[in-house]
Amino acid sequence: MKTQSCVEVKNEWGIVAARQAGRSLSKEIGFGSVDQARITTAISELSRNIYLYAKRGEICLGAVERPTKMGMQKGIQIIARDHGPGIPDIRQVMTDGFTTSGGMGAGLPGVKRLMDEFLIDSETGEGTTITTTKWLR
C-alpha cells in the first residue's frame, strides 16, 4: 500500500470519519461517483461491524497499484481490523441473509459483492481482519 491512513472506530463518529476518508481517497484515486458510493458503503458496513461486535478497531485505507498488460492499475485497499471476539463460523456470516444484529443480513457478503477482492481472517477470542480492494476500471 502506498499511502495509508487509519481511522479509529469506537463510536458513531468513527464510522462517519472512516466513510469520509474513504470517499475522499477514492475520489483522489479517480473513481467515479458510483464506485465511490460502493466503496463508501463497504467502509460503512465494515466499520459498523467493528463498532457493533468488537466495540473498537480501525479502518485503514490506502492507494494501491498492480501491473497489468496496459500498465499500472490503481485501486483502493481497505483493511478493517479489530481485537474483538472473532467470528466463530466464517462460512455462516458469509451466507446471504444471515444476521446477528437484526439487520438486513447484507453485511459481509454485500461488502464482498461491492469490492473486487475480499479476504477475511478471524480467530475466536483474538479478533478479525478483513482486507478488501476495489480496482479502477
Side-chain angles (χ1 to χ4, degrees):
M1 217 183 308
K2 278 187 358 183
T3 56
Q4 183 177 348
S5 66
C6 295
V7 177
E8 186 179 14
V9 176
K10 61 181 180 183
N11 53 34
E12 295 281 342
W13 293 113
I15 296 168
V16 171
R19 285 175 53 90
Q20 289 173 337
R23 184 172 295 277
S24 175
L25 180 58
S26 61
K27 187 175 184 177
E28 190 180 305
I29 291 169
F31 284 99
S33 58
V34 172
D35 277 337
Q36 287 176 39
R38 288 183 178 120
I39 292 162
T40 304
T41 301
I43 291 169
S44 184
E45 184 64 37
L46 292 169
S47 55
R48 186 157 301 285
N49 282 353
I50 288 171
Y51 178 57
L52 286 175
Y53 302 111
K55 305 301 178 219
R56 68 180 328 124
E58 65 182 0
I59 298 283
C60 296
L61 308 164
V64 290
E65 289 184 341
R66 68 178 177 185
T68 65
K69 291 177 185 173
M70 308 292 278
M72 295 302 279
Q73 184 179 25
K74 294 179 182 181
I76 186 170
Q77 187 172 73
I78 303 156
I79 301 172
R81 185 180 302 119
D82 68 62
H83 297 288
I87 302 170
D89 188 345
I90 292 174
R91 190 176 315 188
Q92 186 181 40
V93 301
M94 292 307 295
T95 303
D96 275 319
F98 175 77
T99 179
T100 57
S101 65
M104 293 180 355
L108 295 180
V111 172
K112 185 175 183 179
R113 280 192 299 275
L114 290 168
M115 303 297 282
D116 297 320
E117 296 173 10
F118 181 92
L119 179 67
I120 184 167
D121 181 37
S122 187
E123 205 170 308
T124 305
E126 297 293 319
T128 302
T129 300
I130 296 171
T131 305
T132 186
T133 308
K134 184 77 169 166
W135 295 105
L136 194 57
R137 305 261 176 265

